[in-house]
Amino acid sequence: MHVTLHQPGIAANFGNILRTCACFGVPLSVIEPTGFPLSAKDVRRAAMDYGAAVEVGRHATWEAYRDALPGRRVLFTTRGAERLDRFAFQPGDHLVFGNESAGAPDAVHKDCEARVAIPIRGRSLNLSNSVAIALFEALRQLDGLA
């Protein structure tokens, strides 16, 4: 399992997601640019004492990420074609999340093998909450919980 953030814009969300990935032992990839500084020092600060427990990959573009890391890409989007509770995850899936305000661009939608929506009553969830819900469900399905 792998979490991927496409051009995240809010540092606090990044920090929460980094800690979530650390707690579940899942690597995190960030597609740049970000809406906040992302130096090694900034990553350490966001990770607090969780930093050593998570692998963070940085990629200059979507294409660089896509070409470097094989695996099925599952995009979480409000334009999702399938509900989270009806989707079957596979080992090695990349859970892809777009920017907080803009979502994922059409090129990312086209490159992802699946699109999934978290069924909610409101308009949308906070990005870090969405990652936590999606990652937990994927790991639960694959018996990947501790």
Side-chain angles (χ1 to χ4, degrees):
M1 203 57 56
H2 195 104
V3 171
T4 302
L5 304 178
H6 186 270
Q7 300 179 350
I10 301 173
N13 283 336
F14 174 76
N16 288 337
I17 293 164
L18 185 65
R19 291 185 293 278
T20 297
C21 288
C23 287
F24 287 109
V26 173
L28 172 64
S29 284
V30 178
I31 314 303
E32 299 189 59
T34 63
F36 48 89
L38 194 58
S39 68
K41 180 180 177 184
D42 295 316
V43 170
R44 282 193 306 276
R45 185 172 50 246
M48 297 167 28
D49 59 343
Y50 295 82
V54 64
E55 172 189 337
V56 179
R58 293 172 63 179
H59 306 273
T61 65
W62 169 258
E63 292 77 17
Y65 155 76
R66 180 197 62 209
D67 295 345
L69 297 172
R72 182 173 76 156
R73 288 167 189 17
V74 179
L75 177 63
F76 284 81
T77 175
T78 56
R79 297 189 284 165
E82 191 165 355
R83 288 171 47 124
L84 173 63
D85 56 329
R86 297 180 185 147
F87 186 77
F89 290 94
Q90 299 171 4
D93 278 350
H94 291 244
L95 310 182
V96 179
F97 298 85
N99 175 277
E100 291 92 339
S101 60
D106 289 339
V108 172
H109 275 265
K110 284 181 14 183
D111 279 348
C112 290
E113 289 84 355
R115 287 189 310 279
V116 175
I118 298 171
I120 60 171
R121 290 194 168 97
R123 211 171 42 124
S124 64
L125 289 168
N126 173 278
L127 178 61
S128 61
N129 292 336
S130 296
V131 170
I133 290 167
L135 181 57
F136 185 87
E137 175 59 15
L139 292 171
R140 184 196 66 78
Q141 284 185 24
L142 300 172
D143 293 324
L145 298 171

